[in-house]
Amino acid sequence: MKIAVIGAGIVGISTAYELARDGHSVTVFERNAAVAEEASFACGGNQSASLSQPMAFPAPPASSRLRGLFSDSGVTVRAGSSAGDLRWLLRWKTPSAAWTEALVCAQQLARYSLERQQSISTQESLVYEQSQGQLLLLRSEQALQVCQQKISVLNLHGAAARTLSPDEARKIEPALGADLPLHSAVHFPNDAVGNCRQFAHALKDQALALGVIFHFSTPVHALTPGSAIQVGTAALGAHDFDQVVVCAGTGAVSGLGNALKHLPLTRLWSYSLSAQIREPLNAPRSAVIDSHHRMSIHRIGNRVRVCGGAELGGAKLPNHAHTVKRLYQALQSHFPGAVDFGRGPQIWRGASVFSPDALPLLGPSAIPGIWLNLAHGHNGWSQACGAARLLADQIKGQPAALDTRNLQPGRFNF
Ligand SMILES: Cc1cc2nc3c(=O)[nH]c(=O)nc-3n(C[C@H](O)[C@H](O)[C@H](O)COP(=O)(O)OP(=O)(O)OC[C@H]3O[C@@H](n4cnc5c(N)ncnc54)[C@H](O)[C@@H]3O)c2cc1C
């Protein structure tokens, strides 16, 4: 089949690769000049089936809805937040009784994705920065108890998480700041860290070798349904395809004409700070996640990257000074002396797209011939390879490796 993929972030590249492997004739349209220039650019490297990175998944439902509403979700509401954004926040703070089922679904998708990614990496000899294992840091008995609720569900489904004392945690990450208040930690040995942007570039080369055509600097402005789906661009005119897969991240709702404008999606902005390592012995070996500050810190090649912050609101807002300051502070307190701040640290603000239930939209849209692979929230890097394979299986009409019922876009009315 002749298939168009809209968007060349990590999700679009993975999708194009899988479709090309299945023998389809694939064309990718990307509005930027290169792959992974938006959410997949300087995102966290956590590939986490434990869903432990900040904002990966809502906290378990509180004992009462009111308690949930008044809990601190870590989300800042900034200027330009819409009524839809606030509705999403309400739902995030008060997850439904289906929380456990959704958590297991997200975990299985991420686990499958890690396996798929490792097998592609081996098969294609892909080279990108990576490390193994994640450590979740906890400050109090209460934090451990909240976390146990999630871990017991995850462990039932093979997470292999182990609760550690502070001394045991420091053996895994010996450079952790000596003054850091630490009650306990949870180690996820099967989670990984990898450089998302590097992987996307490496996979793009494999996709090219399989015959995928890339049109960069080519925004799609309309999708017109019919016996074929017409993909409209200003630069190249309109082209017909048998199927179209929308992997357009934040561009899905606003940029593609009327076809998808009612999708129930919310943008959430977060930050990363990347700084050159000065002394490798003082840097993290892999990744730590501070549940108290909702930040993740990991080594990514010769840099350390801290990610944190979660804000609703407009695209053009200036960086939130308080959040950026907290990223610097977290790096200094958790891994003192690890980086050289004099060598131009990079601050980046990126938007992830969330659905109302924090699971992606993966499958056919309401319009025949238009498929979605979208709304991976803060798990897009963790889920991309698995989601791409599952979607390619659906398009091919062959049984998928996982049950995708909870991921189908049709679970929402739009
Ligand atoms: C600070 C931060 C930290 C994060 N940390 C992690 C982490 O540790 N682990 C994890 O798993 N995830 C993490 N995430 C989330 C992850 O980055 C995203 O889920 C993932 O990158 C989404 O990939 P995507 O391909 O769907 O979107 P994108 O990378 O945004 O790609 C969408 C592409 O579509 C293109 N596009 C849009 N509209 C059009 C159009 N009309 N025509 C042509 N092209 C179009 C865009 O230009 C873009 O390139 C983090 C995100 C942020 C912001």
Side-chain angles (χ1 to χ4, degrees):
M1 274 191 290
K2 202 175 155 202
I3 304 183
V5 173
I6 318 296
I10 187 62
V11 172
I13 290 293
S14 307
T15 305
Y17 170 81
E18 294 290 358
L19 291 170
R21 273 187 60 137
D22 284 356
H24 299 295
S25 157
V26 181
T27 304
V28 178
F29 294 88
E30 167 55 53
R31 63 185 173 189
N32 288 298
V35 304
E37 288 288 297
E38 299 208 0
S40 312
F41 180 70
C43 64
N46 298 302
Q47 295 180 282
S48 163
S50 68
L51 304 162
S52 50
Q53 74 262 19
M55 301 302 295
F57 209 74
S63 51
S64 78
R65 192 174 151 81
L66 207 60
R67 191 180 281 256
L69 276 179
F70 284 103
S71 65
D72 175 15
S73 61
V75 177
T76 309
V77 178
R78 295 188 72 187
S81 301
S82 66
D85 289 339
L86 298 178
R87 272 196 302 277
W88 173 86
L89 181 57
L90 203 68
R91 194 156 168 181
W92 182 268
K93 290 178 106 182
T94 55
S96 71
W99 179 84
T100 304
E101 193 183 339
L103 179 73
V104 171
C105 178
Q107 179 201 21
Q108 288 179 340
L109 174 56
R111 231 171 97 187
Y112 173 61
S113 192
L114 260 168
E115 284 164 18
R116 184 74 198 136
Q117 193 206 1
Q118 277 152 10
S119 102
I120 293 171
S121 301
T122 309
Q123 215 168 332
E124 308 285 11
S125 308
L126 301 187
V127 178
Y128 61 102
E129 295 157 349
Q130 52 182 317
S131 56
Q132 191 64 34
Q134 294 185 16
L135 195 61
L136 178 66
L137 308 178
L138 301 162
R139 290 220 168 171
S140 64
E141 181 59 33
Q142 195 199 356
L144 176 63
Q145 274 171 19
V146 171
C147 177
Q148 292 288 16
Q149 203 175 334
K150 184 171 154 192
I151 287 167
S152 56
V153 177
L154 295 175
N155 270 351
L156 270 181
H157 297 271
R162 213 159 58 87
T163 305
L164 305 178
S165 68
D167 284 349
E168 289 170 320
R170 287 178 196 285
K171 284 195 179 116
I172 290 174
E173 286 292 353
L176 267 179
D179 299 335
L180 204 65
L182 195 56
H183 169 273
S184 50
V186 181
H187 187 226
F188 299 96
N190 298 335
D191 284 354
V193 173
N195 187 326
C196 175
R197 182 168 168 272
Q198 261 181 15
F199 181 85
H201 276 267
L203 196 59
K204 177 207 144 198
D205 291 343
Q206 299 307 318
L208 275 172
L210 289 169
V212 174
I213 297 168
F214 284 88
H215 294 302
F216 288 108
S217 306
T218 309
V220 170
H221 58 69
L223 296 177
T224 314
S227 54
I229 310 289
Q230 200 174 72
V231 173
T233 69
L236 305 172
H239 290 268
D240 285 351
F241 290 88
D242 301 318
Q243 313 283 335
V244 172
V245 187
V246 177
C247 308
T250 57
V253 177
S254 52
L256 298 172
N258 289 331
L260 304 172
K261 71 176 183 187
H262 297 301
L263 282 176
L265 302 177
T266 290
R267 284 179 312 184
L268 193 77
W269 300 87
S270 319
Y271 297 82
S272 70
L273 157 66
S274 308
Q276 293 288 324
I277 292 179
R278 184 175 65 83
E279 173 46 68
L281 290 176
N282 293 342
R285 284 180 173 170
S286 188
V288 301
I289 291 131
D290 185 321
S291 67
H292 181 74
H293 288 298
R294 294 192 173 90
M295 294 202 177
S296 73
I297 308 179
H298 50 274
R299 186 188 282 234
I300 198 138
N302 59 0
R303 286 161 298 150
V304 177
R305 181 168 290 166
V306 196
C307 296
E311 52 190 45
L312 297 168
K316 299 214 170 4
L317 292 173
N319 287 349
H320 193 252
H322 179 65
T323 305
V324 173
K325 190 171 157 201
R326 283 179 52 231
L327 295 180
Y328 277 99
Q329 286 170 342
L331 189 42
Q332 275 162 328
S333 60
H334 288 63
F335 292 97
V339 301
D340 181 356
F341 285 115
R343 288 168 65 195
Q346 175 199 52
I347 301 283
W348 174 76
R349 180 176 186 254
S352 303
V353 181
F354 284 74
S355 76
D357 62 9
L359 293 173
L361 304 185
L362 186 69
S365 74
I367 304 163
I370 300 185
W371 300 76
L372 307 180
N373 190 354
L374 280 174
H376 290 271
H378 266 198
N379 303 315
W381 171 217
S382 307
Q383 296 175 342
C385 290
R389 188 59 251 160
L390 295 175
L391 191 79
D393 287 338
Q394 288 185 55
I395 290 178
K396 205 173 174 186
Q398 73 181 16
L402 297 180
D403 181 351
T404 57
R405 267 173 301 181
N406 286 334
L407 306 172
Q408 294 296 320
R411 68 190 188 278
F412 302 115
N413 284 326
F414 62 89

